[in-house]
Amino acid sequence: MNQANNKARQVNNSPEKEDITQYLRQAYEGDEEAYAFIFPVIYNELRKIAKGIRFNFHGAATLNTTAIVHEAYLKLAKGESQWESRKHYYSVAAKAMRQVLLNAARSKKAIKRGENIKTESIDEVHELLVMSDATSAKLINFNELLLQLEAEDTIYGRIVECRFFAGLSIKETAEVVNISPATVKRKWQMARNWLFVHLSKISS
Amino acid sequence: MKEGYTLAELEQVYEKCLSVPPEERDKLIDQTCGNRESLKTILREMLKSEDTAIAYFQELQQSLAGGWSPGEIPTLEQGEVVGNYRVDSLLGKGGMSNVYLAERCDGEFEQRVAIKCFPARSVRVRKENVKKAEQQILAGLQHPNIARLLDAGITGNGILYFIMEFVDGEAVDTYLKRMKPATSGRLALFKEVVKAVAFAHSRFTLHLDLKPSNIFVNSLGQIKLLDFGISMKLNEDENHEPGTFFGTPSIAAPEQLAGQPLSAATDIYQLGILLHTVLSGTSPVRSYAASTEQLTRIGPLTDTPELQISSAIPAEPASIIAKCTQANPDERYNSAADLLQDVKRLEEGYPLFAMPQSNGYRLKKYIRRNRLQVISFSLIILSLLAGLMASLWQAREATEQRDKAVQNEQVATLTKNFLSNLFREADPSFAQGDTLTVFQLLEKGHQQLSGYNGPAAIKLELLNTISSSYRNMGDYDNAGKVLNQAENLALDSMLTISPPFIRNVVQMGLYQRDIGNYDSSAILLNRALNLYEKIDYPREDSMYTDVLKRLAYVYKNKSKFDSAEYLMKETIALEENIWPDHYNIQLAESYYIQAAIYVDLKQYDEAIIYQKKSLDLCERIMGSNFPGTLANLNLLSGLLKSNGNAEEALPYNRKAKRIAENIYGKKHAETATNTYNLAHTFSALDQYDSAHFYFSKALAIQNDVYKDEFNSWHISSYNALIALFIKMNNLDSAQYYVNKTLTVSESPKISTQKRAKAYDWAGEYYQKAGDLQEARNYLQLALAEYISYLDSTSRLVVLTSKKVDALDSLLQVQ
């Protein structure tokens, strides 16, 4: 166990900023133990923020995944704005975001819909991470297809996570995944359109 | 992959396809893939759906964190009763709301309304918030261009509803497409929107969703803003979390996308987008997709929606749009009222605040404005000429009506052509190649006139115009030359008594005034007035009152204040008859002059009355952010202060400072002066902390504006601070500024007056500090400076020598 981990234990699993950045760096560099520790921390933070979302008035964009990922970073890293640290963070958070959404979609599928919401209980409504039926279904299919791509090369999954779930730019994705922007662009275009073609077949 | 191709393979061919023009792709696929049908199929499908795929994923991405799929928008049934209204039919579907037409069903009176309904769980609505919304609706926005919000609530089924005034009309974009109005009409429409928004802002209500579909034009062609305050009411949650987004992404301001606090500036941003849409029919938002994708990244200023202003929009409206849509809310217009002001200035051809203030730009505006002025001026002349010629001809032999008509029309055409061609050439937007300067333009006009064979009256009028332009630009030599020529022409052509001739006399009078020869000026202007009377020219005409006003000002300069006051009284009485609603900027000028004359007469109460009149009128006509308004505010506050009413002066000073900031920016000498004035008023009110705060602020601006402290503004600030610290009994700080003011005062750049003041305050300080010898030395120096430019009987000299004497006797006692 390294030093950072020990220190984190002492403060009862609520790691300090320095620890977080250290864990992130270690996880980025391939330390599986650090990854195992930091993933749930980020996952929980993302989930917490996602649950707190107030829905957008007009139904289009709201506090979207990009913003959630970003906000979680602000909370966790408390002002640490070095791109190096953010890069480490994104490489974990992109996957965590995917997981949060997928779990929400799965639980949504399990919930029986059509309940009337009474005025009195409005306050509690937003405690649920609500996702529309259509979106949950799309997301589950999306994930299935993405798994197919990943079966051939995991890089597709990482790129899609960065671009789609964390909302990173081509350039940022390239840094996080550690390949050239041109490659990211090519692989992202390919994956996106391949996914779309297959998704539209499923839904039709 | 089980489909007969590897992803690496697909990726490669796909990229190749994207790199060639669409029409060549099929061929490329056939060449590269041979008979591998599954690979060919997927390639074709992927290529076909390139655009749809992007949109699909963007939408999916947005819906992930809580979008509503269309199926979950609540619906109301026909006949269902919501509030006091019975639902009739569906009016439209929004992103997550439906809008229904409904009618009042309690038999009170017939009223059609629109009900907009949302899923209640779409927003964190608390009961007390709904209550609050209701209260606010009662005190709601009452404005002819804002659709009224009548009621709001939540139904038993959890549907959140808003009941609004029903507007029978169409969305502004549809309206514009159908009517295709000219730019002026489009601007007029936009102005109505801005006015309504400004009104709502004054009632602390934001719109936050000013998209074309929320801006209706009713059957009468009136603008009606829909959904006013709905976004905001939903946004009013005291637990408002950072990062919450309300609104429409395609028009959302960066701060909305970034979940930062929203303000009036947010509406201004959207108004900028709207102006673009109204003028060009297209949105400047290049891809809000890019912006939603990049939503809320670190460094909000670099991650703002990408806008591109259409090249079809001219530079000036484009600059307004650009100013509205600045990423940083602080850099947009300060208020909707300011935006309105600039739109008005655009219409009237004044320089915009939004434009970079280059000389070239100002020159262009000057010409444009003057071209209009000159042309309309010439039209006035024409109508007068027509009348004059008729009477001249009547006095002579009778001429055929037909001939007169022909001749008048010729005169009209000639003058108009001459002037408009001349100014058209000078306007950079018409001219080819190099832009003419105004001087070149005048010279050219003057040259062209020498070969002009039109009627003498018109030639004279044109010479008058050219001379006055030279004079207004400070070129008195040329102004005088042209006037001489005009006078000779008038004499040669026997045009002795005619309006053009009288105006020539006026011009000569103004020329004499401008070269400082007030006696000749008064004689000439009086002569012009007599001539006007001789030809029975109407006194209730601004051309006549203008001469009266100028003469009054000459009398003021000659210190004949009583005559000046008398003439101004007459001027004002006539002008108030010319413009019965008193709504004219020339009248504001008259009040302004009259106030200045009363100051000279030391009748401060009267002066205050007229200054207030001028201020009020100036502000109503030209708005707050107008140099004339600022000048009025400054004079008025100064008057009130010297009349011992600093308390009343204070709000005017505050306003003046704000306006100076609006007009000139935060770092400008004018702003420094107004800040200084405000501090001075605080000092007069013995509010030392505020005085200190603003004096320091003024000083800080001066430090930014001037490259060093060796100027009279700095020395004034230092002296003011010394005075203040002496009052506050803070001698250490006073001493600090005494040292500064003495250092600066030694510079040759400092005027004697300011140097005298610096010594004077140093003397005051040393006296207060108990160093009487030093105090005497500085007061003696001050006295020497005062004597160098003042009469030995003047107040300052007498006062200072008394102080020196007093110190002498004190020192002797010691």
Side-chain angles (χ1 to χ4, degrees):
Chain A
M1 189 66 59
N2 58 47
Q3 223 187 337
N5 266 356
N6 285 334
K7 203 172 158 203
R9 291 273 153 77
Q10 283 164 18
V11 290
N12 198 17
N13 257 10
S14 80
E16 293 297 317
K17 171 190 150 189
E18 313 85 69
D19 302 324
I20 294 273
T21 46
Q22 279 207 42
Y23 278 123
L24 287 171
R25 183 175 48 74
Q26 287 160 7
Y28 182 79
E29 286 163 359
D31 181 337
E32 285 181 22
E33 215 168 329
Y35 187 89
F37 178 81
I38 201 69
F39 187 88
V41 173
I42 294 178
Y43 177 93
N44 282 327
E45 193 59 48
L46 292 173
R47 201 177 118 75
K48 210 162 83 194
I49 297 169
K51 264 171 42 172
I53 287 177
R54 224 171 358 161
F55 291 104
N56 158 34
F57 192 52
H58 296 276
T62 175
L63 182 68
N64 68 5
T65 54
T66 311
I68 295 171
V69 170
H70 173 59
E71 200 172 318
Y73 181 76
L74 290 184
K75 282 194 179 153
L76 290 169
K78 298 189 180 75
E80 174 61 64
S81 60
Q82 294 278 313
W83 164 245
E84 276 303 298
S85 310
R86 278 195 291 142
K87 184 171 91 176
H88 302 155
Y89 164 76
Y90 282 135
S91 77
V92 182
K95 190 171 281 301
M97 190 72 238
R98 175 178 173 188
Q99 207 56 49
V100 168
L101 291 167
L102 200 61
N103 286 347
R106 286 178 181 140
S107 63
K108 170 78 191 185
K109 219 177 165 186
I111 294 173
K112 200 176 62 178
R113 80 170 277 237
E115 292 164 350
N116 262 354
I117 293 140
K118 288 183 194 119
T119 313
E120 283 72 24
S121 62
I122 284 173
D123 269 357
E124 293 138 39
V125 176
H126 70 272
E127 275 305 307
L128 285 166
L129 177 54
V130 185
M131 187 179 285
S132 76
D133 286 347
T135 304
S136 333
K138 276 183 201 166
L139 197 65
I140 288 166
N141 293 335
F142 177 81
N143 191 58
E144 293 298 318
L145 288 163
L146 186 56
L147 287 171
Q148 283 187 36
L149 290 180
E150 286 177 299
E152 198 165 320
D153 191 342
T154 53
I155 193 76
Y156 291 113
R158 298 197 64 200
I159 291 173
V160 171
E161 280 160 7
C162 287
R163 295 280 292 140
F164 183 79
F165 290 106
L168 300 190
S169 68
I170 298 270
K171 204 172 144 236
E172 289 165 337
T173 305
E175 298 237 16
V176 170
V177 184
N178 207 11
I179 52 176
S180 78
T183 313
V184 171
K185 196 177 172 209
R186 189 177 68 236
K187 287 187 184 292
W188 161 245
Q189 251 175 352
M190 209 288 297
R192 182 189 61 202
N193 292 5
W194 187 91
L195 287 166
F196 174 72
V197 167
H198 289 82
L199 267 172
S200 38
K201 277 180 188 158
I202 293 173
S203 54
S204 62
Chain B
M1 204 72 12
K2 295 162 185 64
E3 303 189 41
Y5 55 87
T6 69
L7 292 176
E9 205 173 19
L10 177 65
E11 200 178 293
Q12 220 184 4
V13 194
Y14 186 58
E15 198 200 13
K16 232 190 244 174
C17 288
L18 287 178
S19 69
V20 303
E23 61 275 14
E24 291 169 29
R25 288 175 186 166
D26 261 347
K27 214 172 104 193
L28 184 72
I29 291 173
D30 285 336
Q31 280 170 1
T32 329
C33 308
N35 56 0
R36 297 172 63 192
E37 292 309 322
S38 60
L39 181 58
K40 281 159 84 174
T41 313
I42 183 77
L43 272 169
R44 292 210 176 91
E45 282 173 331
M46 279 166 66
L47 286 167
K48 195 175 64 191
S49 52
E50 179 75 16
D51 289 341
T52 1
I54 296 172
Y56 178 87
F57 283 112
Q58 267 161 10
E59 199 182 304
L60 182 60
Q61 198 176 31
Q62 284 163 13
S63 67
L64 283 179
W68 287 81
S69 64
E72 291 178 60
I73 297 174
T75 52
L76 298 176
E77 297 301 318
Q78 193 180 1
E80 194 174 335
V81 174
V82 178
N84 282 327
Y85 300 87
R86 180 172 284 119
V87 175
D88 186 8
S89 58
L90 183 70
L91 279 174
K93 286 174 184 283
M96 68 182 298
S97 63
N98 283 326
V99 186
Y100 294 90
L101 180 66
E103 265 173 49
R104 186 140 186 161
C105 59
D106 58 3
E108 281 287 308
F109 50 89
E110 220 178 290
Q111 190 181 11
R112 288 201 295 175
V113 296
I115 302 181
K116 188 160 188 157
C117 56
F118 301 85
R121 57 174 178 166
S122 64
V123 280
R124 191 191 298 174
V125 184
R126 291 166 194 274
K127 268 186 178 170
E128 59 266 37
N129 274 12
V130 176
K131 275 264 157 56
K132 211 164 115 192
E134 281 163 3
Q135 285 165 5
Q136 286 180 342
I137 288 159
L138 288 177
L141 294 172
Q142 302 273 0
H143 190 274
N145 299 113
I146 296 175
R148 275 202 304 140
L149 198 53
L150 302 163
D151 194 7
I154 300 172
T155 68
N157 299 329
I159 295 171
L160 176 68
Y161 65 87
F162 289 89
I163 300 180
M164 287 173 292
E165 176 190 346
F166 170 69
V167 179
D168 194 5
E170 57 190 335
V172 69
D173 47 348
T174 322
Y175 173 83
L176 290 174
K177 263 180 213 148
R178 191 168 59 79
M179 299 294 284
K180 296 190 179 59
T183 305
S184 58
R186 288 169 194 264
L187 277 179
L189 220 55
F190 178 71
K191 249 170 48 185
E192 292 305 306
V193 176
V194 181
K195 273 186 208 162
V197 172
F199 171 82
H201 286 181
S202 73
R203 302 290 187 278
F204 305 105
T205 307
L206 305 178
H207 193 293
L208 303 178
D209 199 17
L210 289 162
K211 56 186 170 191
S213 58
N214 273 337
I215 295 154
F216 260 55
V217 183
N218 71 11
S219 42
L220 302 170
Q222 250 179 344
I223 283 283
K224 285 272 185 185
L225 301 192
L226 309 185
D227 284 10
F228 223 117
I230 291 188
S231 293
M232 196 176 123
K233 285 190 198 328
L234 294 172
N235 213 0
E236 263 167 2
D237 197 331
E238 51 285 352
N239 300 322
H240 182 194
E241 287 175 26
T244 318
F245 174 76
F246 284 90
T248 308
S250 58
I251 60 157
E255 63 271 23
Q256 283 179 294
L257 295 170
Q260 284 157 358
L262 308 181
S263 67
T266 311
D267 277 348
I268 299 215
Y269 179 94
Q270 298 188 345
L271 284 171
I273 306 273
L274 180 72
L275 177 58
H276 190 284
T277 312
V278 163
L279 288 177
S280 71
T282 57
S283 166
V285 185
R286 263 180 73 187
S287 63
Y288 75 85
S291 64
T292 34
E293 190 182 80
Q294 295 167 0
L295 232 180
T296 318
R297 223 36 94 55
I298 288 174
L301 289 187
T302 55
D303 292 286
T304 50
E306 226 183 300
L307 301 188
Q308 192 174 34
I309 296 172
S310 160
S311 57
I313 296 179
E316 281 169 316
S319 74
I320 295 183
I321 294 168
K323 192 164 170 68
C324 288
T325 54
Q326 287 293 312
N328 180 354
D330 292 342
E331 287 169 23
R332 295 174 204 151
Y333 286 99
N334 287 318
S335 64
D338 282 0
L339 166 59
L340 186 63
Q341 186 68 29
D342 239 5
V343 176
K344 280 186 187 161
R345 295 175 74 86
L346 172 68
E347 285 181 325
E348 289 159 11
Y350 280 91
L352 304 186
F353 295 117
M355 282 296 272
Q357 303 288 304
S358 73
N359 286 336
Y361 171 70
R362 285 195 172 279
L363 175 70
K364 190 170 156 177
K365 280 276 114 175
Y366 176 87
I367 296 168
R368 208 185 263 280
R369 209 159 66 225
N370 280 288
R371 180 184 59 182
L372 291 175
Q373 201 175 47
V374 169
I375 292 174
S376 54
F377 186 50
S378 74
L379 292 175
I380 296 169
I381 297 160
L382 287 173
S383 58
L384 293 173
L385 269 183
L388 176 70
M389 284 177 173
S391 60
L392 285 176
W393 278 316
Q394 266 167 13
R396 293 177 188 175
E397 292 155 358
T399 314
E400 290 288 332
Q401 286 288 326
R402 185 176 45 84
D403 290 351
K404 266 196 289 181
V406 168
Q407 199 153 0
N408 282 345
E409 201 176 313
Q410 275 173 350
V411 169
T413 318
L414 284 171
T415 317
K416 227 166 31 187
N417 286 352
F418 183 84
L419 289 167
S420 56
N421 284 338
L422 192 57
F423 283 92
R424 180 177 286 263
E425 253 178 274
D427 188 333
S429 53
F430 291 113
Q432 302 279 324
D434 288 344
T435 305
L436 289 173
T437 68
V438 176
F439 287 111
Q440 285 169 329
L441 162 82
L442 289 172
E443 206 184 303
K444 202 169 163 161
H446 191 196
Q447 274 168 11
Q448 282 181 10
L449 259 185
S450 58
Y452 182 77
N453 292 321
I458 289 171
K459 190 166 177 179
L460 180 62
E461 196 58 65
L462 292 169
L463 287 171
N464 285 341
T465 306
I466 288 171
S467 168
S468 90
S469 300
Y470 271 128
R471 191 174 46 75
N472 284 332
M473 295 174 66
D475 186 345
Y476 300 123
D477 285 351
N478 275 317
K481 270 186 215 161
V482 178
L483 272 180
N484 274 335
Q485 203 187 334
E487 198 185 2
N488 289 336
L489 175 78
L491 294 174
D492 288 351
S493 54
M494 312 284 284
L495 263 175
T496 36
I497 309 175
S498 63
F501 179 76
I502 299 172
R503 275 189 292 273
N504 180 245
V505 176
V506 172
Q507 281 305 318
M508 289 194 285
L510 297 178
Y511 169 75
Q512 292 296 337
R513 177 199 68 184
D514 285 356
I515 61 171
N517 201 346
Y518 296 131
D519 290 333
S520 304
S521 176
I523 292 168
L524 284 161
L525 293 176
N526 265 315
R527 189 172 153 213
L529 288 174
N530 287 336
L531 288 173
Y532 271 134
E533 273 159 35
K534 217 171 202 171
I535 62 165
D536 281 333
Y537 192 87
R539 283 161 53 85
E540 283 183 10
D541 181 291
S542 62
M543 203 87 72
Y544 179 82
T545 57
D546 199 60
V547 181
L548 270 181
K549 202 189 295 187
R550 303 300 150 210
L551 181 59
Y553 209 83
V554 170
Y555 281 141
K556 172 177 150 40
N557 286 340
K558 286 176 62 170
S559 301
K560 291 170 87 172
F561 303 127
D562 289 326
S563 308
E565 189 242 3
Y566 176 79
L567 281 181
M568 279 318 295
K569 259 192 181 150
E570 195 183 345
T571 307
I572 289 170
L574 288 170
E575 286 186 342
E576 286 180 344
N577 282 339
I578 299 173
W579 303 292
D581 55 358
H582 297 189
Y583 194 80
N584 188 288
I585 197 70
Q586 290 179 50
L587 187 55
E589 189 194 15
S590 297
Y591 292 147
Y592 188 93
I593 293 174
Q594 186 67 310
I597 293 169
Y598 280 124
V599 171
D600 290 331
L601 286 166
K602 302 198 167 42
Q603 298 184 21
Y604 297 115
D605 291 335
E606 293 291 322
I608 288 170
I609 291 170
Y610 279 96
Q611 206 76 59
K612 278 185 176 166
K613 277 185 166 190
S614 179
L615 171 65
D616 172 63
L617 196 50
C618 205
E619 199 170 11
R620 273 196 290 138
I621 297 171
M622 301 305 290
S624 293
N625 295 332
F626 176 68
T629 308
L630 184 59
N632 267 312
L633 281 168
N634 270 318
L635 287 171
L636 181 56
S637 62
L639 273 171
L640 288 166
K641 247 189 289 183
S642 45
N643 218 19
N645 199 347
E647 207 150 322
E648 203 190 331
L650 189 62
Y652 294 113
N653 281 118
R654 280 187 197 277
K655 193 166 177 183
K657 173 180 163 287
R658 203 176 59 236
I659 291 172
E661 282 172 355
N662 289 346
I663 301 179
Y664 303 106
K666 293 217 189 261
K667 286 183 186 172
H668 192 282
E670 205 62 44
T671 308
T673 308
N674 280 283
T675 310
Y676 177 91
N677 289 344
L678 175 60
H680 195 270
T681 304
F682 274 122
S683 180
L685 286 167
D686 292 342
Q687 295 189 25
Y688 300 138
D689 288 340
S690 300
H692 181 218
F693 176 78
Y694 286 109
F695 275 132
S696 308
K697 223 172 154 185
L699 193 56
I701 304 170
Q702 286 164 353
N703 284 334
D704 279 333
V705 174
Y706 300 104
K707 63 180 190 307
D708 57 39
E709 56 180 352
F710 298 103
N711 58 66
S712 54
W713 298 110
H714 269 86
I715 215 166
S716 297
S717 286
Y718 294 154
N719 291 342
L721 281 162
I722 296 167
L724 181 68
F725 285 126
I726 290 177
K727 270 196 196 173
M728 291 167 79
N729 223 356
N730 181 349
L731 293 182
D732 286 344
S733 299
Q735 191 183 14
Y736 174 79
Y737 287 104
V738 166
N739 292 338
K740 281 198 155 245
T741 200
L742 288 175
T743 313
V744 174
S745 69
E746 275 161 31
S747 162
K749 287 191 226 165
I750 299 300
S751 68
T752 312
Q753 287 93 320
K754 291 288 170 190
R755 190 173 302 121
K757 279 279 172 201
Y759 291 145
D760 202 339
W761 279 113
E764 290 289 327
Y765 161 75
Y766 280 111
Q767 189 165 7
K768 182 92 177 178
D771 189 340
L772 299 186
Q773 187 59 51
E774 201 71 353
R776 191 205 171 275
N777 291 346
Y778 279 111
L779 285 173
Q780 184 68 50
L781 284 172
L783 184 59
E785 299 286 348
Y786 284 139
I787 288 172
S788 74
Y789 72 95
L790 290 173
D791 270 7
S792 58
T793 53
S794 76
R795 196 181 60 90
L796 273 172
V797 174
V798 174
L799 202 71
T800 315
S801 61
K802 268 186 189 163
K803 281 195 228 164
V804 175
D805 289 348
L807 278 169
D808 274 343
S809 40
L810 274 173
L811 281 164
Q812 260 172 7
V813 171
Q814 280 183 357

